[in-house]
Amino acid sequence: MLMVFIGPPGVGKGTQAQRVSAHLGVPHLSTGELLREAKEAGTSWGVAAGQYMDAGQLVPDDLVVTMVAQRIDQPDCRKGCLLDGFPRTLPQGEALDQLLRERIRRLDVVVALDAPDDELVRRLIARAEIEHRPDDTPKTIVRRIEIYHERTEPLLAYYKRRGVLETVPGLGTPDEVFQRVAACVERRRP
Ligand code: AP5
Ligand code: MG
């Protein structure tokens, strides 16, 4: 099953993708995680990406698309994968379509998690106490949420037109949200 999680920072994409990944037995691919690993490893592109991330900006499309293309060609993605945080712009959405066409694969569902901005800020401020992500500062959190509304939200209409969009409220406990996500997955399972 090939699935995309879209949603603003802090809505629970990572939390839910991890659970769905265990449920379906397909890998969880978070572009944020892959980029943080590349930054940690000190590769030149990882370091360059890190500068965008720490400022709460999006990393350039071509870099992210190349990274995803390499990752989904790994053998563990043969039966599918869950993309968390990709695509995040319309050009990335178009690039994903192209990439899947070339591989004769199909996107089964796009799950859009949503929650009010003030809840997102609360969650990320709370996470900052535990995880110390460099982009979890009050100013950067607000910037990331703004960029989500400007650059990522237009993808919702793109996927709605294609008939693959499922919108899931992200409020409630992680278990409650998972029940909703799992129901969408079952409806869309090929
Ligand atoms: P990324 O790592 O994807 O960060 P993000 O989108 O800002 O989202 P988060 O990981 O902060 O939140 P989440 O939705 O995963 O929520 P989580 O489950 O952790 O990207 C980081 C950066 O990398 C980007 O800013 C950009 O620079 C770059 N990047 C990545 N992909 C890119 C792309 N495609 N193009 C360009 N640049 C890209 O939950 C958040 C917190 O809330 C946690 O503490 C969690 O425990 C808690 N929580 C979860 N669910 C609940 C719940 N139901 N109730 C209460 N608390 C909850
Ligand atoms: Mg995440």
Side-chain angles (χ1 to χ4, degrees), residues 106-179:
R106 197 171 56 93
L107 188 54
D108 296 300
V109 60
V110 174
V111 171
L113 289 169
D114 89 58
D117 290 356
D118 56 350
E119 169 70 9
L120 306 173
V121 173
R122 258 197 304 277
R123 288 185 188 178
L124 294 178
I125 297 284
R127 186 177 67 185
E129 307 271 311
I130 308 159
E131 282 190 28
H132 310 294
R133 248 172 70 171
D135 58 347
D136 278 348
T137 65
K139 198 172 146 209
T140 310
I141 289 169
V142 169
R143 185 75 198 117
R144 282 156 61 204
I145 295 174
E146 279 169 6
I147 291 184
Y148 171 78
H149 291 305
E150 282 165 27
R151 311 266 317 268
T152 307
E153 233 162 33
L155 276 170
L156 301 182
Y158 179 79
Y159 286 123
K160 187 162 186 213
R161 272 199 305 276
R162 304 254 307 267
V164 290
L165 185 73
E166 295 272 5
T167 304
V168 174
L171 286 181
T173 65
D175 282 344
E176 285 165 348
V177 179
F178 178 68
Q179 294 308 317

Side-chain angles (χ1 to χ4, degrees), residues 13-15 30 33 36 84 127 133:
K13 301 182 295 296
T15 303
S30 155
E33 291 297 332
R36 279 186 288 278
D84 155 8
R127 186 177 67 185
R133 248 172 70 171

Side-chain angles (χ1 to χ4, degrees), residues 2 25-29 34 37 66-83 99 103 105:
L2 224 145
V26 296
H28 167 204
L29 242 116
L34 291 172
E37 281 165 19
T66 306
M67 184 180 79
V68 170
Q70 285 171 358
R71 182 64 188 85
I72 67 170
D73 283 338
Q74 300 294 312
D76 63 333
C77 292
R78 221 172 284 147
K79 282 200 280 178
C81 65
L82 310 182
L83 291 165
L99 217 135
R103 288 160 179 77
R105 297 178 74 168

Side-chain angles (χ1 to χ4, degrees), residues 6-120:
I6 293 186
V11 76
K13 301 182 295 296
T15 303
Q16 296 303 325
Q18 225 166 7
R19 291 172 180 231
V20 176
S21 165
H23 177 75
L24 290 175
V26 296
H28 167 204
L29 242 116
S30 155
T31 44
E33 291 297 332
L34 291 172
L35 290 165
R36 279 186 288 278
E37 281 165 19
K39 181 190 167 196
E40 278 299 303
T43 62
S44 59
W45 63 271
V47 171
Q51 289 172 349
Y52 291 97
M53 295 164 77
D54 293 354
Q57 306 282 348
L58 294 182
V59 172
D61 289 336
D62 52 350
L63 201 159
V64 180
V65 169
T66 306
M67 184 180 79
V68 170
Q70 285 171 358
R71 182 64 188 85
I72 67 170
D73 283 338
Q74 300 294 312
D76 63 333
C77 292
R78 221 172 284 147
K79 282 200 280 178
C81 65
L82 310 182
L83 291 165
D84 155 8
F86 179 89
R88 240 181 245 244
T89 62
L90 280 173
Q92 288 182 19
E94 285 158 7
L96 177 62
D97 283 342
Q98 173 69 20
L99 217 135
L100 295 179
R101 259 196 307 274
E102 286 164 7
R103 288 160 179 77
I104 322 172
R105 297 178 74 168
R106 197 171 56 93
L107 188 54
D108 296 300
V109 60
V110 174
V111 171
L113 289 169
D114 89 58
D117 290 356
D118 56 350
E119 169 70 9
L120 306 173

